[in-house]
Amino acid sequence: MDQPLAISDSGTEGEKLPAYTNHDGFLLPVGFPTSSFDSALTYEAQDNGELHSSTKLKELSVPLISLAHLFIVTYPKCGTTWTQHITYLILHDGVPLAADQRMDVVWPHLEEVGSEFVREKATIAGGYRLIKTHFPHKYTPKNPNAKYIYVSRNPKDCVVSFYHHTVGFPRHYDFAEGKFDTYFNLFLRGKVDSNDYFEFLREWLDHKDDPNVLFLRYEKGRQDTREYILQIASFLDASIYPQRLLADDEKILKLVMEHSSLDSMKQNPRRWCSDRTGFKPFIRKGSTGGWDELLSEEQAALLQKRLDEMFSKEELDFLGDQYH
C-alpha cells in the first residue's frame, strides 16, 4: 500500500521532510507512477530471438545476433548521466545528444516509465537496447546475454549531491527549503528514494566480477577519464569500439572526452532533466572530495562507520581512497 513517509521517521517532530511515495517499503519520488515501478519488476531482459519479433526491430533491420540489453545501473547521484552520455557518445562516434533531445527518452528510466515504454520506445544503438535503472541488484532484470554497467560513488559526495538534487526538484520532493542535516539523517538510515545506499552498494559489489558486469568507480573516472571511456568501449565490444575510438589520431576518443566534459554538459541542460529554474543546475560540480562544503566531520565519521561495518578493508581499497 502506498503511503507518505511518516514524520516519526525523521526524528524531530515538525521538521520539514522530503516527500516520498512509500510503495511497499521502497521510497519513490512523488509523481513516479507506482504502476510503472510494478511493471518494471516484471520486465524481462529477453534473449535475442524474442526481441527480434518486435515491430521496431524489424523496421530497423537489426540482425538477430547483434541485439542485447544494456543497463546503466547506479544508486542516484553516482555518475549516472555522465556515464550514460559517455556510452551514448561511444555508440554514436562522438556525436553528442542534440539540444532538443532528452536523455530520459533516449535512455529511459525503467522504474519511472515502466516495461511497456522500454519495450516499445527505448533507443536501440550499436545493437543495444538502452535502459537506465536505480534498482538494487535483487530487482534488476537479469539475463546472461544482457550487459550491466554499474557506477559507484563514495557516500560523502553522494549525499551532498543527492541533497542538492532533492532540493532542486520541489515537484517531486517538496523540499526546496529543506535543511542538509535533516536530509543527511534520512540518507544515513536509508529513508530516501532508492532506499539504503550501503545495502545497494553491497549487493552490486558482490557481482563486480560477473562476466556481464562492468563495475566502474566514479572517482577513478574523474581522475582518468580517458581510461574510463576505453573501459566502457571494451565492455561494449572489444573488437570494435576501442579501435574506432583510437583511429585517426584518437579523433573519436577526443570528441567523446570533449562532449562529456562538465563544461560541455552544462550547455543545453534540458537534455538531462526537466526545468530547474531558480535552483542549482542538474549538472552542478561532478567533483570528487568536495563533500566538506556541507558535511561535518562528525557526519563523515558516521558514513565511514557504515562503510567499515559492511565492507572489508580489501573491498574499500578496491573502491578507492574516498571510501576510507
Side-chain angles (χ1 to χ4, degrees), residues 111-171:
E111 58 268 33
E112 181 181 359
V113 301
S115 59
E116 183 176 352
F117 183 100
V118 170
R119 277 195 296 267
E120 296 301 321
K121 297 183 179 180
T123 298
I124 295 168
Y128 291 106
R129 185 186 294 278
L130 307 181
I131 304 171
K132 161 192 163 182
T133 182
H134 293 313
F135 268 160
H137 187 271
K138 62 188 173 187
Y139 292 158
T140 301
K142 311 294 193 310
N143 190 297
N145 295 322
K147 291 190 176 185
Y148 304 84
I149 298 176
Y150 180 83
V151 189
S152 68
R153 188 183 191 186
N154 77 84
K156 305 180 189 78
D157 285 325
C158 176
V159 67
V160 171
S161 182
F162 211 171
Y163 165 71
H164 286 301
H165 172 90
T166 304
V167 166
F169 283 108
R171 69 188 179 94

Side-chain angles (χ1 to χ4, degrees), residues 217-236:
R217 290 149 290 181
Y218 180 79
E219 294 80 10
K220 291 189 179 296
R222 284 297 178 198
Q223 291 167 4
D224 189 348
T225 302
R226 184 181 188 277
E227 177 59 27
Y228 192 84
I229 293 168
L230 290 173
Q231 279 186 276
I232 295 172
S234 294
F235 183 69
L236 294 173

Side-chain angles (χ1 to χ4, degrees), residues 39-99:
S39 76
L41 293 174
T42 68
Y43 184 79
E44 296 181 6
Q46 299 152 309
D47 288 328
N48 289 336
E50 293 171 302
L51 284 169
H52 193 62
S53 65
S54 76
T55 301
K56 184 173 183 179
L57 293 184
K58 288 177 181 177
E59 291 172 353
L60 292 172
S61 298
V62 175
L64 175 66
I65 196 168
S66 70
L67 186 67
H69 283 67
L70 177 63
F71 291 86
I72 297 282
V73 188
T74 68
Y75 189 82
K77 310 312 296 178
C78 289
T80 322
T81 304
W82 185 56
T83 306
Q84 281 179 280
H85 197 220
I86 286 174
T87 307
Y88 178 91
L89 287 163
I90 293 170
L91 292 170
H92 291 85
D93 291 337
V95 178
L97 208 63

Side-chain angles (χ1 to χ4, degrees), residues 260-315:
S260 64
S261 70
L262 287 180
D263 286 342
S264 177
M265 290 183 66
K266 285 178 180 179
Q267 299 172 25
N268 302 309
R270 291 296 297 273
R271 292 180 294 172
W272 320 122
C273 70
S274 54
D275 185 45
R276 285 168 64 98
T277 302
F279 297 94
K280 291 182 183 292
F282 185 78
I283 303 296
R284 195 176 61 90
K285 286 187 176 181
S287 60
T288 62
W291 50 265
D292 56 357
E293 65 170 284
L294 288 175
L295 204 63
S296 69
E297 290 186 9
E298 179 183 4
Q299 289 169 331
L302 290 171
L303 295 174
Q304 190 61 53
K305 183 174 183 290
R306 289 292 311 276
L307 285 172
D308 292 340
E309 289 170 350
M310 295 195 66
F311 303 93
S312 68
K313 181 181 181 303
E314 291 73 22
E315 288 171 331

